[in-house]
Amino acid sequence: SCAPNVHADLTCGGGGGELVFRASEPVLRGEALYISYVDSTEPRYERRRLLQRHKSFTCDCARCGADLSRSEEWESSLRCRCGRGWMQPEGGAGDWRCVSCGAAESLSRVLAWDTDLRGRLAAASEGGATAEVEAVLESALRRCHPNHAVALQARLRLVQLASSDADRCRRAEQALSVAARVCGKYDEQLGDLCFTLGLASHALATAPGRSAAEQLSLFARAAGAFAAAGAHFGFCYADP
């Protein structure tokens, strides 16, 4: 399911392995347990495309088959060229239609735009130039909602390319603001971002020239970030 209620963790060692499943939300007796085959932060059209290609089925899980929820709606939405509204997908393979002016765009054109954008992000990320990744992010945000997976992936890459602790803090907070909306309750990606924010905040707090008030604020931010990272990692990687 693209709305999993279980987290799977594979551990290997000693010549063997163990697959551990943990419920990420309350589960009633007899209720089905679901994992996701794909990255659940992706928009519905991309999840369905990947599952059709690699698993040979069209996903009709509770999330993909239902009317778009508010969160899912924004993750899949595109900016309309009219400048007044968002284009939202109609059905599994239908057009995107603007809620304001009624203009339509076909699934094939959306997929072509998506493929081109991902290719540009991959090339920019491989090159390691911050300006190139920022240009891709800017281009993405002219067309898609900030919650879109490609925009999040660009922000995550910018965290990795940050030039200083202050820059890393700023970019990690920007990425967290998006990831917290689209990731699950417990998520390794969120844990990584929180831990990165904690490290950068602690480094800034211990840098020369900080006032006592600045140090206190930065240490508090670091402590909060480390605590959040611990909650994510503790759930995802704790021994059963």
Side-chain angles (χ1 to χ4, degrees), residues 12 14 24 31 36 44 97 109 148 167 178 198 213 218:
C12 300
S24 54
E31 184 179 350
S36 180
R44 181 171 67 176
R97 192 167 298 278
R109 291 191 63 180
H148 195 284
D167 187 37
V178 178
L218 288 166

Side-chain angles (χ1 to χ4, degrees), residues 94-105:
D95 291 341
W96 266 245
R97 192 167 298 278
C98 178
V99 298
S100 179
C101 73
E105 187 145 3

Side-chain angles (χ1 to χ4, degrees), residues 152 174-185 189-190 193 232:
L152 175 58
Q174 291 173 344
L176 269 170
S177 69
V178 178
R181 294 195 295 268
V182 300
C183 292
K185 181 178 180 181
Q189 192 166 252
L190 281 170
L193 280 171
H232 290 289

Side-chain angles (χ1 to χ4, degrees), residues 164-231:
S164 65
D165 289 317
D167 187 37
R168 190 168 294 106
C169 274
R170 178 176 65 87
R171 295 192 185 279
E173 288 182 322
Q174 291 173 344
L176 269 170
S177 69
V178 178
R181 294 195 295 268
V182 300
C183 292
K185 181 178 180 181
Y186 297 105
D187 188 271
E188 299 99 322
Q189 192 166 252
L190 281 170
D192 287 338
L193 280 171
C194 291
F195 190 70
T196 297
L197 178 61
L199 288 176
S201 298
H202 186 273
L204 289 174
T206 56
R210 296 286 180 193
S211 68
E214 288 175 327
Q215 285 184 324
L216 184 61
S217 175
L218 288 166
F219 277 133
R221 182 168 65 179
F226 284 138

Side-chain angles (χ1 to χ4, degrees), residues 6-159:
V6 167
H7 178 276
D9 180 34
L10 176 63
T11 58
C12 300
E18 185 177 41
L19 186 59
V20 178
F21 296 92
R22 297 183 182 84
S24 54
E25 59 187 54
V27 177
L28 299 176
R29 181 184 296 274
E31 184 179 350
L33 302 178
Y34 296 103
I35 60 171
S36 180
Y37 290 139
V38 295
D39 183 352
S40 58
T41 66
E42 292 286 358
R44 181 171 67 176
Y45 66 85
E46 177 65 9
R47 298 195 308 270
R48 280 185 161 176
R49 187 184 69 82
L50 291 172
L51 289 168
Q52 184 63 54
R53 173 182 293 181
H54 299 294
K55 299 293 184 179
S56 300
F57 72 92
T58 298
C59 188
D60 197 35
C61 70
R63 186 177 177 200
C64 288
D67 290 338
L68 297 180
S69 66
R70 182 175 179 82
S71 174
E72 173 73 5
E73 193 173 282
W74 294 130
E75 289 165 24
S76 297
S77 296
L78 302 177
R79 295 183 188 276
C80 181
R81 291 179 174 82
C82 74
R84 301 190 305 274
W86 292 97
M87 305 185 81
Q88 298 168 359
E90 297 182 328
D95 291 341
W96 266 245
R97 192 167 298 278
C98 178
V99 298
S100 179
C101 73
E105 187 145 3
S106 66
L107 174 61
S108 60
R109 291 191 63 180
V110 171
L111 291 178
W113 163 82
D114 187 283
T115 300
D116 175 71
L117 187 65
R118 291 173 192 271
R120 290 165 53 200
L121 178 59
S125 298
E126 185 176 353
T130 298
E132 293 180 5
V133 179
E134 286 179 330
V136 175
L137 175 59
E138 182 179 347
S139 175
L141 293 178
R142 285 198 295 267
R143 191 74 175 105
C144 66
H145 193 273
N147 286 2
H148 195 284
V150 177
L152 175 58
Q153 290 161 18
R155 292 192 186 282
L156 293 173
R157 183 58 177 144
L158 288 170
V159 173

